[in-house]
Amino acid sequence: NAGVMQNPRHLVRRRGQEARLRCSPMKGHSHVYWYRQLPEEGLKFMVYLQKENIIDESGMPKERFSAEFPKEGPSILRIQQVVRGDSAAYFCASSHPYNEQFFGPGTRLTVL
Amino acid sequence: GENVEQHPSTLSVQEGDSAVIKCTYSDSASNYFPWYKQELGKRPQLIIDIRSNVGEKKDQRIAVTLNKTAKHFSLHITETQPEDSAVYFCAATGTASKLTFGTGTRLQVTL
């Protein structure tokens, strides 16, 4: 019974490049959430998606960040033109509706 | 929106002692309060949760209490062990489903 999967686990990008982070939810889960964790800080909500729908993107920066959860395949968090301040751990979580959220292992993004 | 405050930021206890971490929330509509444990470099792991129709919940050495009137909830760990050392996060959510996290408590259990 695989848990939430994320890849890559580590990603290094130079300033100005694009970063694509992938998340496969637990089997049977239809809700995906993305959170960002800066070093030595807590987790901050970014976006909440269901299949083919963005439900809540109130935590997403207005520019350069986008997310999708297509009908087939993993959820993707995309960061365009990365800057040093984007360096963080990005966690996704999945759940049944209104139930416990289970987290993936995270993608640690480093921007050089 | 919801705001969650968590105290203390660091907590050091001796093995076998109890540890208590406290959180307050601002949105009276919040009705679900999970606690996560995060070891260094690892994912947050759900250790216990409580819903607003319950005042207390216990799972072996871990218990959580909720006071809806005062809008605060607490995590209690009894008979602490070295493997309890980690960062603990409280969180709150309502119908919006997104979790609002506290700032974390670094618990160190010393021998």
Side-chain angles (χ1 to χ4, degrees):
Chain A
N1 184 17
V4 181
M5 310 282 282
Q6 287 187 251
N7 66 80
R9 297 290 305 279
H10 300 273
L11 183 61
V12 179
R13 286 287 178 264
R14 297 190 181 280
R15 281 177 294 171
Q17 291 184 320
E18 178 179 290
R20 281 188 182 234
L21 288 61
R22 288 176 290 278
C23 170
S24 297
M26 283 179 71
K27 188 176 181 181
H29 285 186
S30 57
H31 294 222
V32 167
Y33 310 80
W34 286 93
Y35 295 86
R36 177 164 63 178
Q37 186 174 36
L38 295 170
E40 302 295 317
E41 292 190 15
L43 296 106
K44 302 290 186 188
F45 168 79
M46 299 182 75
V47 62
Y48 164 33
L49 310 105
Q50 295 175 26
K51 286 283 187 181
E52 300 184 282
N53 280 308
I54 297 175
I55 307 302
D56 182 349
E57 56 181 348
S58 58
M60 287 275 272
K62 292 288 184 277
E63 297 178 353
R64 303 187 298 108
F65 286 72
S66 62
E68 63 176 6
F69 189 13
K71 187 177 180 181
E72 302 290 337
S75 175
I76 306 285
L77 179 67
R78 182 182 179 206
I79 312 172
Q80 295 179 290
Q81 299 176 322
V82 296
V83 300
R84 289 224 173 103
D86 296 333
S87 294
Y90 292 82
F91 289 96
C92 83
S94 73
S95 75
H96 290 298
Y98 307 114
N99 269 351
E100 303 91 336
Q101 293 183 25
F102 295 95
F103 281 79
T107 294
R108 279 145 187 88
L109 172 65
T110 301
V111 179
L112 301 177
Chain B
E2 177 66 278
N3 182 50
V4 176
E5 295 192 357
Q6 183 172 347
H7 300 281
S9 57
T10 60
L11 180 58
S12 182
V13 299
Q14 285 200 314
E15 183 179 9
D17 287 350
S18 295
V20 180
I21 302 170
K22 298 182 179 182
C23 290
T24 60
Y25 61 98
S26 61
D27 188 351
S28 55
S30 288
N31 58 10
Y32 175 63
F33 308 92
W35 286 87
Y36 287 85
K37 174 184 179 182
Q38 187 178 31
E39 297 176 12
L40 188 63
K42 301 287 182 64
R43 75 183 77 193
Q45 286 192 301
L46 179 67
I47 57 171
I48 197 167
D49 57 13
I50 192 167
R51 297 189 184 272
S52 59
N53 57 347
V54 176
E56 183 173 356
K57 184 176 177 181
K58 190 173 182 180
D59 182 4
Q60 299 184 336
R61 297 186 297 108
I62 295 172
V64 58
T65 59
L66 171 65
N67 183 328
K68 279 205 73 180
T69 303
K71 289 192 277 191
H72 66 70
F73 56 113
S74 300
L75 177 72
H76 304 251
I77 306 173
T78 58
E79 301 172 23
T80 54
Q81 301 166 3
E83 51 266 39
D84 294 329
S85 297
V87 179
Y88 291 80
F89 291 98
C90 62
T93 187
T95 55
S97 293
K98 65 182 183 184
L99 292 173
T100 300
F101 284 87
T103 48
T105 296
R106 185 175 302 277
L107 173 64
Q108 182 158 7
V109 181
T110 57
L111 296 172

